[in-house]
Every structure is written in C-alpha cells, then in structure tokens.
Amino acid sequence: METPILNQINQPADLKRLALPELTQLATEIRQLLLTKVSQTGGHVGPNLGVVELTIAFHTIFDSPTDKVVWDVSHQSYTHKILTGRKQAWTDVDHYDDVSGYTAPEESPHDYFNIGHTSTSIALATGMASARDLAGKSGNVMAVIGDGSLSGGLALEGLNIASTLTSNLIILVNDNGMSIAEDHGGIYTSLKALRESHGTSQQNLFKAMGLDYRYVEDGNDLASMLAAFKAVKDIDHPIVLHVHTEKGHGYAPAIANKEAFHWHVPFDLQTGATLHPATGESYNDVIHATLEDELTNQHTPVTAITAAVPGIYDLKRFGRLHPERYFDVGIAEQESITFAAGQAQQGLRPIVFHSGTFLQRAYDQLSHDLGINKLPVTIMVAGGRISAGDPTHQGIFDVAMLSNIPNLTYLAPTTKQELTAMMHWALHQTNGPVAIRVPSNEVHSAPLAPDFDPQRMRTLHTGSRVALLAVGSLLPLAEDVAARLSAENVDATVIDPRDISDPDTTTLSQLATNHQLIVTLEEASLSGGFGEKVSRFYGNTDVHVLNFGAAKRFNDRETTDELWEEFKLTPKQIVTEILANQR
C-alpha cells in the first residue's frame, strides 16, 4: 500500500522537496481528509475544497511565516492548518476539536488574526505591509479574498489604500462565482467579464483602481498555481492575482449545491444527505406565513432584504413568490440597513433579515440612518443565543447593541403567536425601527391575550416575593425554575418581558409592592443587557435583583452545556441562588 504523502508533511518547508506528482497526490489526500472530518463534525465544506491546490502551492513557493498570508473570513483555512503543524486535528478523531475553524494566532505562528467575518483581509494586509516597510523588514504579504467578500465596503476601502502602496503586496482574489449563496451586485459583471476573457477585459475594477493585475484560469490546477506564485513572489508593488476556482471542487454534492455546502451540518459522505435533518414547524415557517398574510390580506408594501445570508431564514422561498420584493445586497450589512432606510422613507415597509453576529457590522447605520430618522424598518435578528464555536460568531451581544439605540424598539417573542403579532405590530407602527429577536429554541405555542401589547410585560403566573423575568427563549427555563421553587414553598411570579429595550416600568413598579427579589434570565451578555436595565430601575429601592446571563467575553470552543453551567443558567443553580438570596 502506498504511504500517504501527508505523513511526510509536518511544516510548510516539507513541501519544497516534493515534485508535482507528489503535490498532486497530496491534494487528493487532503481533500479526502477534509471531507471525512466535516462530514462528521459539520463545517465549511465548499470554501475549503475549492482552495486545496491554491494553499499547497502557496506554502510550496512562499516561506511562511516570513511570508505572510491573511485569509479573508478564514473559513477556507483548513488546508493551511493541516500544512502548518495542525494536521492531527483532521487525522485523529480524538483531536477534532483541538483547533478552531478559523485562523487563530494562539494556535500557530502561521496565523495572524482571529477572523470570522468577511471583507477584512485586504485592509489587514495593507497595515501589515506598511508595518513591514517601516521596520525595514522583507517578506511577502498576501491577502486572500473571495469574490463574495468584495461586496463588503471594507474590501473596497482596502483596495483603495492598497493602490497607494509602493512595495510588495499580493491580493489574491479567489473567484468561484459565489458568495455564501450567489453573488449580487454590479461588481460581479466585471468579474464575469474578466473570467470570460481570461483576464483581458477592459472592464477591470482592479486596474481602474490603479493596481497591477494578472489572471489564472484554473486555480484548482497545481501547476498553474505554482507558476503564478513563482511569478509574483517578491514583487515590488501591489498586484491583484485573480484566480478562478470551483467552490466545492472534488465533491459532487458540494458542486451541485454550492449554497447548502458553504457550511453544512454532519452529512453522509457518499450521498451528501444531512444526517439529522430538522423536522416539524420552525420559526421560519411562522415568519413566512406572516409575510404572506401581510402581502395578500393586508396589502402591506412589504419588502424582504438580506445581506448574503438567505439560507438562515429560507428567504429564497419568499423570493420565488415575490421576486420584485426580494433584495439580496451581497455581503454588505451596512448597505442592507441604509437601503431599507431609503425604502421606508419612500413608503415601503422593509424587513431586513440578519444574523445577530453579522448585524454588528452595521451599527452606525442602525443608529444614524434608522434611529435618528425614526424610520419604520423591521429587523429580524437570528442566532441570539449562548454558544462557543469560535470567538468570531457570538450570539450574545445583540441585546446590548440594539436595546441601547435611541428610538429603536427591540422585542423578544417567546411563542409563535407572539412572533406573528410582533411582526404585524412592527409593520404597522410609525414610531421608528423595530428589531425582533427570533427565538433560538424549538417552536412554542400559547394563545395571545386580546389586549396584546408588545411593549407591555405579560404575566404568565402571579405569585409573590420572587418574580422571574425571562427573555425570549429562556421563558421555558423560568417555568421550570418556578415549578422547582413551588416545591420549596416559593410561589414565584413568571413574566415574559417582551420589550427588552425599554422595560415596562408600570409592571416593574407593581412588582415592587409585593416582591422582594426580582430575577432576570437572558441568553445574552449581562453587560449592557436587559437585566442591567431592571437592576437600574430598582437601584434606589429595597427590591433585590439577581441577573442571570452570559459573561462579557468571546467564548471559544466550549460546549453550550459547559457555558450554561458556568453562567449558572441551569434550573438547579438558579433555584439555589434564589433560595440563598431570599430575605
């Protein structure tokens, strides 16, 4: 049996003694290794399969870490990690969790930044190149950026500054014709023209910005990439190396369904089928039913806007039915918010669909364009939960961010009925922007009271002495805690706060008359969160407040169960704390 080439590779320097046939065999081995792991653990499939040859070629020609590469998003850095001393995290199932899914400086001197959001690599590389020059050092600096990432404003800002440099900088544009989903925007007309003309089209954004430019037709061909890198190594000025690759290269299911395999849960390696598909009603189903009701029955001029993440909400379902009302602005969160502001000013009722971890990229637009102008844009926020896959995708900071923007109302539904009612309310009020935190747990159902008011707290059970205020998806936890307290002869009030930006002070005042302990539960950072607002309200009273939620930090590679235990968010821990703090 032939000995795997990968057995010989422990650091990038080991590649330099391999001939092209051996490097080609190595690419095959790595591709199989990638598929074996991600089929079991889940992860970024297509982006990594598409850059295997490109990465091998880089580490064969360049001398990392003297020569530096910055991976945009860094979700395509698996091969890079395998070649830079971390292959055990792919070869040994017991070590699958040893490394992050993104670059991580604490892991290796070949990584420079924790990166998980898009469009940053060129700007980072310009800073690194300028620092190299000021220090009088040598070495290449390369930014690898996907075509989808070019729709982000920071990428264009980086290109603008790159063109002013007078020393080595290589910008590799990895063009596979895809973002997370398909690309959107005029820039892709230029890229398409360049691909079709093998780089000779006059419609060249990069040259127009004053940058040198070369094109590689087949970035999945090792010989082509080795030659291209040899030609640009040690170049004395900024250059764009435009490389055409195939997302999902080498795995038929990933090629056939590029969007689904951008990031995929565990799947059957032979068929590509999801191993544990979700079943039953989802909150996405509730959202789509509400959209249809608004359009068809209430004739509301609704539009749906996303910044390149349609899959989170299955938005293409809406796009197929109402293509004229569906807008994907590309990986451009700022544009999505300000685009919606423009629509709202002209009488439309836009809904912007976001993940909370990406929405932070548009903070100024939320504040300046929506908040100050009091424009009635609805923002759906998914992913609001405690998790620790990596520090770049955190779902706990949205409450602190959104609930403290003036004129913006942030609502946290607990059931499908509340979600529907809050969407209807948001689409017909005119006081300003409304964000809705989509519950992160399974779908819950409970009838609405006839006097439903999204800005008034809902009391599910009236007790005394202790009150539990549970935000959104943590309401079931509060009900569990209340049941356990009942066994300890404590009859706790249970409340659904609903509005987490401006707590219902009427209800809070009423609670103070016969409650000595107020307990807040939120699946978000305590710093700047809902609980702090409640604590501040009772600050000058005799009412004691306990806040349960996440610590203000970037969680990394911890399990959800571990975090809930650490943050004292288990029913047993909460009951213990409550009993210890009763007066």
Side-chain angles (χ1 to χ4, degrees):
M1 183 175 179
E2 185 178 356
T3 302
I5 300 294
L6 186 58
N7 288 359
Q8 307 172 35
I9 308 301
N10 296 303
Q11 55 188 343
D14 296 334
L15 295 168
K16 299 183 184 300
R17 62 173 177 264
L18 301 182
L20 181 59
E22 294 171 302
L23 292 172
T24 303
Q25 175 60 30
L26 177 63
T28 300
E29 293 175 13
I30 288 177
R31 186 165 276 110
Q32 187 58 47
L33 200 62
L34 294 175
L35 284 167
T36 299
K37 178 177 176 177
V38 295
S39 68
Q40 298 174 48
T41 64
H44 286 96
V45 184
N48 283 287
L49 294 178
V51 299
V52 173
E53 290 81 9
L54 181 158
T55 310
I56 292 172
F58 172 84
H59 282 298
T60 301
I61 299 301
F62 290 92
D63 301 299
S64 179
T66 300
D67 295 322
K68 297 170 173 43
V69 57
V70 182
W71 302 91
D72 205 89
V73 188
S74 83
H75 62 336
Q76 77 289 62
S77 63
Y78 295 1
T79 300
H80 164 75
K81 292 196 172 195
I82 290 170
L83 298 175
T84 54
R86 290 166 278 181
K87 67 182 178 182
Q88 189 178 33
W90 278 266
T91 59
D92 186 343
V93 65
D94 292 332
H95 291 272
Y96 274 180
D97 295 328
D98 285 2
V99 302
S100 165
Y102 303 87
T103 54
E106 63 273 18
E107 290 178 4
S108 169
H110 299 275
D111 294 0
Y112 308 100
F113 304 97
N114 283 289
I115 303 175
H117 290 183
T118 190
S119 309
T120 65
S121 65
I122 301 174
L124 291 169
T126 58
M128 294 174 79
S130 67
R132 175 203 58 203
D133 296 345
L134 283 171
K137 295 181 179 179
S138 60
N140 293 266
V141 175
M142 178 183 292
V144 178
I145 186 166
D147 54 306
S149 296
L150 288 176
S151 62
L154 182 57
L156 299 178
E157 293 173 31
L159 285 171
N160 183 53
I161 295 303
S163 67
T164 68
L165 301 183
T166 57
S167 60
N168 171 276
L169 178 67
I170 303 165
I171 301 168
L172 191 153
V173 176
N174 174 34
D175 184 358
N176 56 36
M178 289 287 293
S179 180
I180 297 172
E182 65 280 352
D183 288 320
H184 290 274
I187 193 173
Y188 300 104
T189 302
S190 173
L191 291 180
K192 183 173 183 289
L194 287 169
R195 291 195 304 269
E196 292 177 345
S197 66
H198 300 280
T200 63
S201 172
Q202 295 303 303
Q203 192 176 347
N204 190 318
L205 167 70
F206 310 109
K207 285 188 174 182
M209 296 186 79
L211 291 157
D212 195 2
Y213 172 87
R214 296 186 189 184
Y215 179 76
V216 179
E217 169 55 31
D218 189 355
N220 296 115
D221 176 67
L222 258 172
S224 296
M225 287 311 307
L226 290 166
F229 283 147
K230 284 180 182 177
V232 298
K233 185 181 181 183
D234 299 325
I235 197 166
D236 63 358
H237 60 274
I239 186 170
V240 170
L241 189 63
H242 181 189
V243 179
H244 183 205
T245 63
E246 180 179 50
K247 192 171 186 177
H249 186 75
Y251 186 54
I255 295 171
N257 198 340
K258 291 182 172 63
E259 182 178 351
F261 276 90
H262 174 79
W263 189 96
H264 207 289
V265 295
F267 56 93
D268 180 87
L269 190 54
Q270 298 303 314
T271 66
T274 300
L275 290 180
H276 307 290
T279 59
E281 185 180 28
S282 70
Y283 280 114
N284 280 345
D285 296 326
V286 177
I287 290 170
H288 283 277
T290 307
L291 287 173
E292 288 306 312
D293 179 54
E294 285 287 346
L295 279 169
T296 60
N297 298 327
Q298 304 192 45
H299 306 293
T300 308
V302 169
T303 61
I305 303 166
T306 183
V309 289
I312 292 177
Y313 295 91
D314 192 21
L315 277 183
K316 290 186 178 180
R317 186 194 321 184
F318 179 85
R320 287 189 293 270
L321 294 172
H322 310 284
E324 75 285 358
R325 294 184 174 275
Y326 171 62
F327 302 89
D328 187 334
V329 300
I331 305 180
E333 290 81 6
Q334 293 171 287
E335 167 68 9
S336 73
I337 297 301
T338 304
F339 181 79
Q343 287 192 341
Q345 200 281 329
Q346 288 296 298
L348 297 180
R349 298 308 300 247
I351 308 178
V352 191
F353 292 84
H354 268 290
S355 162
T357 190
F358 299 140
L359 183 56
Q360 67 195 41
R361 290 156 55 89
Y363 183 83
D364 187 54
Q365 287 63 46
L366 291 163
S367 178
H368 182 271
D369 299 336
L370 294 188
I372 291 175
N373 289 284
K374 298 183 180 179
L375 289 167
V377 171
T378 301
I379 306 157
M380 307 303 293
V381 182
R385 60 190 179 89
I386 295 171
S387 63
D390 74 277
T392 67
H393 288 70
Q394 302 287 300
I396 61 173
F397 301 122
D398 57 299
V399 176
M401 176 179 72
L402 291 171
S403 68
N404 292 301
I405 294 176
N407 301 324
L408 188 151
T409 300
Y410 199 15
L411 303 176
T414 62
T415 65
K416 67 178 186 179
Q417 289 85 358
E418 280 196 344
L419 176 58
T420 297
M422 288 175 179
M423 288 182 67
H424 284 312
W425 180 82
L427 288 168
H428 293 278
Q429 59 80 41
T430 56
N431 294 324
V434 176
I436 300 175
R437 198 179 206 235
V438 181
S440 63
N441 54 349
E442 67 276 8
V443 174
H444 285 260
S445 178
L448 282 179
D451 60 346
F452 170 80
D453 182 343
Q455 296 184 292
R456 293 293 302 273
M457 294 184 180
R458 173 174 67 114
T459 302
L460 283 77
H461 173 75
T462 301
S464 62
R465 295 167 54 199
V466 176
L468 305 171
L469 281 60
V471 173
S473 57
L474 291 195
L475 184 61
L477 173 62
E479 294 175 317
D480 187 350
V481 169
R484 293 170 185 246
L485 287 172
S486 180
E488 301 288 339
N489 297 315
V490 176
D491 184 19
T493 296
V494 179
I495 291 178
D496 165 15
R498 290 176 171 164
D499 186 341
I500 53 178
S501 48
D502 293 293
D504 172 8
T505 56
T506 299
T507 299
L508 293 179
S509 296
Q510 292 170 348
L511 288 174
T513 62
N514 63 342
H515 292 77
Q516 291 78 47
L517 179 62
I518 307 297
V519 180
T520 66
L521 308 173
E522 58 191 308
E523 200 171 3
S525 172
L526 288 174
S527 181
F530 172 75
E532 277 195 355
K533 290 179 170 59
V534 174
S535 295
R536 186 166 60 249
F537 178 85
Y538 289 116
N540 294 323
T541 73
D542 293 330
V543 176
H544 183 45
V545 181
L546 285 178
N547 301 137
F548 292 89
K552 186 183 75 171
R553 73 177 194 218
F554 298 111
N555 302 313
D556 187 10
R557 279 171 280 166
E558 300 164 271
T559 68
T560 300
D561 288 344
E562 288 171 343
L563 289 174
W564 281 58
E565 186 78 23
E566 180 185 347
F567 299 153
K568 297 185 178 181
L569 277 168
T570 67
K572 182 179 179 180
Q573 290 172 307
I574 295 170
V575 169
T576 298
E577 290 291 316
I578 289 173
L579 294 177
N581 281 274
Q582 282 196 100
R583 297 178 180 177

